[in-house]
Amino acid sequence: MSDNKNDQSHTEKQEQDKIVHKLENRAKEASLVRKIVLICFVLIVLTVGGAIGGAYVFITSAIGPVDEDNSELKEVEIPMGSSSAGIGEILEEEGLVDNSTIFRYYVRYRNESGFQAGTYELSPSMNMDEIIASLKDGRIDEEYNLIFTIPEGRWLEEVMETIAEETEHEYDDLMDLMTDEDYLQELVSQYDILHSSILENEDIRYPLEGYLFPARYDFTDENPSKEDIIEQMVARMEGVYNNVQAEYGSTDYSAHELLTLASIIEGEAAGDDEREAISGVIYNRLNRENPMRLQMDPTAVYGYGERVSSPTREQTNAENPYNTYQIDGIPPGPINNPGAASISAAFNPDEHDNYYFYHDTDGTIYMSETYEEHQEVLREHRDNQ
């Protein structure tokens, strides 16, 4: 009997030893896992920190001078219509910036625009901010006998009014040129961006609406011909359009349709930071399974032919080829002359689920996905003004 008890006691002790051994092993394993997790965490933190630190050093270096000790001036030619991407490539080739891509994104981050075509003297000792400032100043004004600026979003008639005010050309003569079929046909054969369809579509108010690039124009001739002025503007639009297309690639829309979309964006946007978002709303409406009418206010105003800040009910109800409250799809042509930022937005819409937007009186934009949400925004902001 005693032997049996001893055997049983010995067996129980063995089982207890096994349990203790298992617990010790598990404790060791848990400790090892914790060490591995801790080591991995430390490595991840160090890696992420190193990456962030490295990126910071890289970007800081990229926007600083290429060589702060080298003040030798280099003559750099910036062609008419150059985009920020194109300018960055020129600067990188000349050894004035380290990285053209960083230049392009830095310009976009700083919301810089208004670069002037021309010849510049720049040095590797200049940082990116100094180079940008120089490119916005343009060449010395004394080199020119005629300088004028066309702002973004102006109607063709308004562009002609500005030219008439700044030159010796009469407004009526300029408008006659805008409807001269022989001259327009000559331009179509000269510039790839112009297609013969703009002359054939009777719904288009002015064939060159949307093709006169808004910018500063400099002339050494104090009285350039009206043809020379118009051709510079079309050439500038072609250059800008080609640069934007090179940056974003081709789309399913023609150049004429993209400039039309860009002009709507130009008419709707209160600032550069919302152009892609508005573009996204336009594309969402066009690309829906059951497409929505665009119902964009500037199209109703342009179609009616009377410039106002907000369309009346009469204007939105008016039946004309441009009024997107009454027509399906895209108008027959641009409703103003858009700038580079709006053209870029037409190529590069934001991806979101919104179909509506509203600007309050201070320019703040409110996006909505549904009609009900949009109505709530209107009740909250418009009706309380």
Side-chain angles (χ1 to χ4, degrees):
M1 190 72 174
S2 177
D3 290 341
N4 289 337
K5 285 183 178 181
N6 289 336
D7 290 341
Q8 184 178 357
S9 176
H10 181 71
T11 301
E12 289 175 354
K13 188 175 184 307
Q14 285 182 326
E15 290 298 326
Q16 290 174 355
D17 289 342
K18 287 181 181 179
I19 292 171
V20 170
H21 185 67
K22 283 183 179 180
L23 291 174
E24 288 176 347
N25 285 339
R26 287 180 182 177
K28 289 179 181 178
E29 289 174 359
S31 176
L32 180 60
V33 168
R34 284 195 296 272
K35 288 180 180 178
I36 292 172
V37 170
L38 178 61
I39 291 170
C40 290
F41 177 75
V42 170
L43 288 174
I44 290 171
V45 169
L46 290 175
T47 301
V48 172
I52 293 173
Y56 175 78
V57 171
F58 173 74
I59 293 172
T60 303
S61 174
I63 65 176
V66 172
D67 184 356
E68 60 184 10
D69 297 324
N70 183 1
S71 57
E72 179 185 355
L73 293 176
K74 293 187 175 184
E75 191 173 278
V76 179
E77 180 72 27
I78 303 299
M80 208 179 306
S82 295
S83 66
S84 58
I87 293 172
E89 290 173 0
I90 293 171
L91 296 175
E92 184 177 348
E93 288 174 3
E94 294 293 337
L96 296 165
V97 300
D98 281 325
N99 190 295
S100 60
T101 302
I102 294 293
F103 176 84
R104 174 163 60 90
Y105 283 110
Y106 187 67
V107 165
R108 183 175 298 181
Y109 166 73
R110 290 286 303 273
N111 198 26
E112 298 284 2
S113 60
F115 296 127
Q116 302 294 325
T119 303
Y120 297 87
E121 290 188 338
L122 307 171
S123 78
S125 63
M126 299 171 70
N127 63 34
M128 207 169 278
D129 288 322
E130 292 171 330
I131 291 174
I132 288 170
S134 296
L135 294 176
K136 291 175 70 175
D137 286 341
R139 286 182 285 184
I140 300 172
D141 292 348
E142 284 75 12
E143 295 181 14
Y144 302 103
N145 292 305
L146 173 64
I147 298 173
F148 62 84
T149 299
I150 304 297
E152 291 90 344
R154 295 297 189 266
W155 293 1
L156 181 139
E157 295 102 321
E158 295 167 332
V159 174
M160 296 305 113
E161 287 174 358
T162 299
I163 295 174
E165 291 169 359
E166 299 290 343
T167 70
E168 298 180 9
H169 300 296
E170 297 292 333
Y171 173 78
D172 290 342
D173 292 338
L174 291 164
M175 290 303 298
D176 286 344
L177 189 65
M178 294 299 93
T179 57
D180 185 322
E181 292 186 8
D182 290 338
Y183 178 66
L184 293 173
Q185 187 61 59
E186 181 183 335
L187 289 181
V188 167
S189 64
Q190 185 176 350
Y191 296 99
D192 292 337
I193 197 172
L194 300 177
H195 191 271
S196 59
S197 60
I198 65 173
L199 305 181
E200 299 162 359
N201 189 339
E202 295 181 357
D203 288 335
I204 292 177
R205 182 177 297 172
Y206 296 111
L208 292 186
E209 185 80 88
Y211 292 91
L212 305 175
F213 188 73
R216 191 181 95 166
Y217 289 89
D218 308 323
F219 297 88
T220 55
D221 187 346
E222 63 182 12
N223 187 33
S225 70
K226 53 185 181 293
E227 292 84 0
D228 185 27
I229 294 171
I230 299 304
E231 286 158 30
Q232 280 209 31
M233 300 181 80
V234 175
R236 182 85 68 94
M237 178 61 80
E238 182 170 83
V240 169
Y241 179 88
N242 289 341
N243 283 329
V244 173
Q245 184 180 49
E247 182 173 356
Y248 294 109
S250 59
T251 77
D252 293 333
Y253 293 99
S254 67
H256 186 71
E257 290 171 325
L258 284 162
L259 287 178
T260 302
L261 295 178
S263 71
I264 297 174
I265 296 165
E266 190 71 66
E268 286 283 6
D272 284 346
D273 58 340
E274 62 187 41
R275 294 179 197 274
E276 283 80 6
I278 292 172
S279 182
V281 170
I282 293 173
Y283 276 90
N284 285 347
R285 290 189 168 213
L286 291 173
N287 296 333
R288 247 184 32 152
E289 186 175 351
N290 296 312
M292 295 173 63
R293 284 182 173 174
L294 295 183
Q295 296 183 317
M296 298 288 163
D297 288 355
T299 66
V301 173
Y302 183 84
Y304 198 80
E306 182 180 340
R307 171 77 87 169
V308 292
S309 59
S310 182
T312 63
R313 186 176 297 277
E314 181 181 358
Q315 289 175 325
T316 57
N317 289 337
E319 294 186 5
N320 61 68
Y322 287 93
N323 184 6
T324 57
Y325 280 91
Q326 302 298 325
I327 67 166
D328 297 328
I330 302 173
I335 60 169
N336 58 51
N337 293 278
S342 291
I343 297 171
S344 294
F347 273 89
N348 185 43
D350 276 352
E351 293 184 9
H352 55 63
D353 297 322
N354 299 308
Y355 290 85
Y356 304 89
F357 65 89
Y358 169 72
H359 283 106
D360 66 12
T361 53
D362 67 4
T364 303
I365 190 169
Y366 299 90
M367 293 279 175
S368 302
E369 184 174 345
T370 67
Y371 180 74
E372 290 74 22
E373 291 173 358
H374 181 58
Q375 290 301 306
E376 181 61 33
V377 168
L378 296 182
R379 283 191 293 271
E380 182 179 351
H381 296 280
R382 183 179 65 184
D383 297 345
N384 292 329
Q385 291 172 3

